[in-house]
Amino acid sequence: MKLNIPPGTCTVDAMRNIAVLVFVAAAAMLAGCSGPITSDGASRSRSDRPLYQCRRAGGPITIDGSLDDPAWQEAPFSDLFFVSARGVRQMPDKLATRMKLLYDADSLYVAFDCEDGDIWSTFANHDDPVQFEKATLLNIDPLANGRSYVGIYINPLNAMLDLKATSGPPEISRRSWLQAIAWNGAGIEHAVQTKGTVNKRDDLDDRWTVEIRLPFSDLGVKPLPGDTWHIQAGRLDYWLGGNIISGWTRSQFGDLAFR
């Protein structure tokens, strides 16, 4: 699905009204990614989904966008995300994306490492439609039913769109989308660090990293060692008249196993 929506051509309200199209397109393209599906620190799950072994954090994690905390050094990165391009005339030089996760007694911690030769964003407010430009994508499904999950999108300006969906993408509608994004995770912390000059389009940037703390109280469920949840992770990027979507898994959700 091609969605040519150059920055600045639509109002925020107008883009919110059609944001459901990007939501459905992202789910479809992530499901269509192909390639090997193993990840570091993990093996293939019984259902042919990738499996990430989520370790318990060995120390405190400061949510500042940096992945330098000693606890993060014990968490393996996933394999690079698979890229699915739509309507792109020329692929960017830097697009490699990967993630890592940890948990403790209270929260799930997620980090994204996004290579990017041109870091830019225009949306800066909570629940802005950041998925129309650049954003990391995280869907957490504790019940592993593919229909009820919390979604978190974060862009290089650290603007977050968070949602709680109660029906899967096939049943999504404008009404259910607006209901989903009306939910706010009260305790979610997030931060971004960039290596480059944000919104300076004529130079070469390096990367941006995202760090998220998602309290289990916001999810309404806390994992025990041995539990397996479902997770969908990806990255959305508007580039040269088209949309690039990369995902951790070629299936809609992968498995997140708590050790």
Side-chain angles (χ1 to χ4, degrees):
M1 181 176 186
K2 182 179 179 182
L3 296 171
N4 289 336
I5 309 176
T9 60
C10 294
T11 65
V12 169
D13 287 341
M15 296 178 87
R16 283 194 177 118
N17 287 339
I18 59 174
V20 62
L21 298 177
V22 171
F23 177 77
V24 175
M29 287 190 219
L30 281 171
C33 293
S34 61
I37 57 170
T38 58
S39 60
D40 293 343
S43 60
R44 186 174 302 196
S45 69
R46 289 178 297 174
S47 57
D48 205 35
R49 290 187 299 266
L51 171 66
Y52 187 93
Q53 300 277 2
C54 188
R55 303 177 182 183
R56 196 173 182 94
I61 297 176
T62 302
I63 305 301
D64 57 7
S66 170
L67 309 186
D68 293 336
D69 289 318
W72 278 126
Q73 309 315 307
E74 302 300 318
F77 270 115
S78 70
D79 281 344
L80 295 178
F81 289 5
F82 310 110
V83 175
S84 176
R86 296 292 185 272
V88 179
R89 295 191 295 272
Q90 178 183 349
M91 292 290 287
D93 292 331
K94 290 189 173 186
L95 196 65
T97 309
R98 54 186 182 165
M99 68 173 180
K100 59 171 63 180
L101 300 98
L102 289 167
Y103 79 107
D104 60 20
D106 301 310
S107 303
L108 179 68
Y109 299 86
V110 187
F112 289 90
D113 176 50
C114 306
E115 277 193 352
D116 200 331
D118 183 15
I119 304 174
W120 64 272
S121 288
T122 63
F123 296 119
N125 299 312
H126 180 243
D127 279 350
D128 276 353
V130 298
Q131 69 272 37
F132 278 109
E133 296 179 343
K134 290 176 180 279
T136 56
L137 158 67
L138 175 71
N139 288 333
I140 296 290
D141 177 9
L143 300 180
N145 62 14
R147 301 177 61 83
S148 302
Y149 48 90
V150 166
I152 300 171
Y153 299 74
I154 295 178
N155 75 358
L157 295 181
N158 198 33
M160 178 181 71
L161 184 154
D162 54 351
L163 61 91
K164 189 170 187 178
T166 56
S167 63
E171 289 78 32
I172 205 75
S173 65
R174 181 177 182 275
R175 177 182 299 176
S176 59
W177 171 260
L178 294 176
Q179 290 173 342
I181 65 173
W183 178 86
N184 293 314
I188 296 176
E189 295 180 50
H190 54 99
V192 173
Q193 285 202 12
T194 59
K195 292 184 178 179
T197 49
V198 181
N199 288 328
K200 189 176 188 301
R201 308 300 303 275
D202 58 353
D203 66 350
L204 182 63
D205 300 320
D206 183 45
R207 67 196 333 101
W208 49 291
T209 53
V210 179
E211 202 174 17
I212 303 167
R213 184 180 77 87
L214 176 58
F216 296 130
S217 58
D218 280 343
L219 295 173
V221 60
K222 181 181 293 188
L224 296 174
D227 285 354
T228 299
W229 294 1
H230 283 181
I231 180 175
Q232 183 187 54
R235 174 179 170 185
L236 303 98
D237 205 326
Y238 182 89
W239 183 266
L240 290 179
N243 300 94
I244 303 170
I245 295 180
S246 55
W248 174 55
T249 169
R250 68 181 180 186
S251 59
Q252 191 168 334
F253 283 91
D255 289 331
L256 178 64
F258 293 91
R259 296 175 52 173

